[in-house]
Amino acid sequence: MKLIKLNAIDSTNDFLKDMSRNEVVENFTTVVAESQTKGKGQMGSIWNSEQGKNIIMSTLVNDVLKDASDIFHLNVAISLAVIEVLQDLNIPKLSVKWPNDIMSDTKKLAGILIENSFKSDNRIESIVGIGLNVNQKDFILLPKATSLSIVMKKEYDLDDLLNKIVFQIRKNCALIVSGQSELLWKEYHQKMFKIGIPVAFEDVNHNQFMGIIQKVTDEGKLQIIVEDDSIKTFGIKEITMLY
Ligand code: BTN
């Protein structure tokens, strides 16, 4: 695999995006940085990470998604890639909080930001950004964040973890390409945070309600049964889980 190691950068996602705009970049090329000055999170949030302590990486994924309607397949494949690597390290109580936060019990270990662009020749290029908290011990302003070293009380080798994650990303992408996404979806649903149990949610109008997660639809929306037994689906910007 092609690996580019950086000290500090604005965002590894933006770096890789610019690179692929200017030159031909080999599929699964991965950029890793010790720190980011403008780390991007989901929905315009900021991703903070202590220098040199965690995995901050972006991988270019080309020719995996064939159609815009397949986009969430990649979210599923990448979430599971991270989960599978962490499972091998015996990290306890792993789950994926929809759409793709990686949790240990009720705390977030990793975040994923996938940015897709539709090329003129109909190809879809994806920049897969992953922030995995590894050896950082303090998350003072982030009470819902944790790291591998907090959970396991030991330190981890970042290069080793990075290699394992990229390997697993390639493996799961190969499953999509060979038409076996169903296997990934099945495992994703098995690993889903709070699936099948009553949880509180809040919608965009700040209405709070109880619901039970049924599944994630093919388009990546969350399907919930609400109190009057009706089934509702929500996009990522439309609902927050209160937990
Ligand atoms: C989230 O909000 O949960 C997603 C966080 C994604 C952070 C990673 S760190 C590497 C890559 N570069 C970025 O700017 N963001 C992603």
Side-chain angles (χ1 to χ4, degrees), residues 11-13 36 39-42 45 47 56-58 101 108 111-113 129-131:
S11 152
T12 53
N13 268 29
Q36 295 182 123
K40 301 191 294 184
Q42 292 273 355
S45 65
W47 185 259
I56 295 170
M57 62 177 280
S58 300
D101 286 350
K108 179 165 167 174
I112 297 168
L113 178 67
I130 302 175

